[in-house]
Amino acid sequence: MAKPKFSLTPNPTFKAKVGIPVPGEGAALVEFTFKGRTREQLKELLDDKEGLKIDAVMQMVSGWELDDPFDKEHVEKLLDNYLGAFDAIQDTYLRELTEARTKN
C-alpha cells in the first residue's frame, strides 16, 4: 500500500467509518465526511461548553453515506434515535484527527 503524500496543508475533509450503536444489533458502520481542523480550531470546538450536541456534529461533519440528506434536522433525528451516536461520532473524529497527527 502506498504511503499518503505528506503536505503541511492537510486536506480540508477526511472520511472515516463510525460504528453507530444499534440496540440489540451491535454497531452499524456509517461513513462520515469529517471536517479537518487545526489544533487551535479543535481546542475552540472542544471548549464550547454551551453548544448542543447537534451543533457539535454539524461543526465536525460535512456529510455521510446515508440516503437521508445531511442537515440539522436529520442529525437531530440520528441523535434522538440512537443514543450512543454522538459519542461514537465524536470519538471517531478525535481519534482520526490525533492519529493522523501522530502518523504525520
Side-chain angles (χ1 to χ4, degrees):
M1 181 154 97
K3 284 183 142 184
K5 185 177 176 184
F6 179 77
S7 171
L8 293 178
T9 305
N11 291 327
T13 62
F14 59 92
K15 294 183 178 190
K17 297 272 187 184
V18 177
I20 303 294
V22 178
E25 296 181 26
L29 288 178
V30 178
E31 186 173 84
F32 283 76
T33 301
F34 289 103
K35 299 174 185 176
R37 292 195 184 279
T38 64
R39 183 182 308 275
E40 188 59 33
Q41 290 168 334
L42 180 60
K43 182 181 180 309
E44 289 173 15
L45 176 67
L46 296 176
D47 285 347
D48 182 11
K49 303 295 185 214
E50 296 185 26
L52 300 173
K53 288 182 178 182
I54 186 171
D55 294 329
V57 171
M58 296 301 293
Q59 291 179 43
M60 289 185 278
V61 177
S62 64
W64 56 27
E65 69 175 349
L66 299 175
D67 291 335
D68 302 293
F70 178 77
D71 57 27
K72 200 167 187 173
E73 174 188 349
H74 289 95
V75 169
E76 182 176 22
K77 186 174 183 177
L78 170 69
L79 298 181
D80 283 348
N81 290 333
Y82 298 95
L83 303 182
F86 177 77
D87 289 338
I89 293 165
Q90 180 174 268
D91 291 350
T92 301
Y93 181 65
L94 294 174
R95 183 178 61 250
E96 289 292 322
L97 277 178
T98 57
E99 284 183 8
R101 293 191 192 291
T102 301
K103 291 176 187 174
N104 291 334

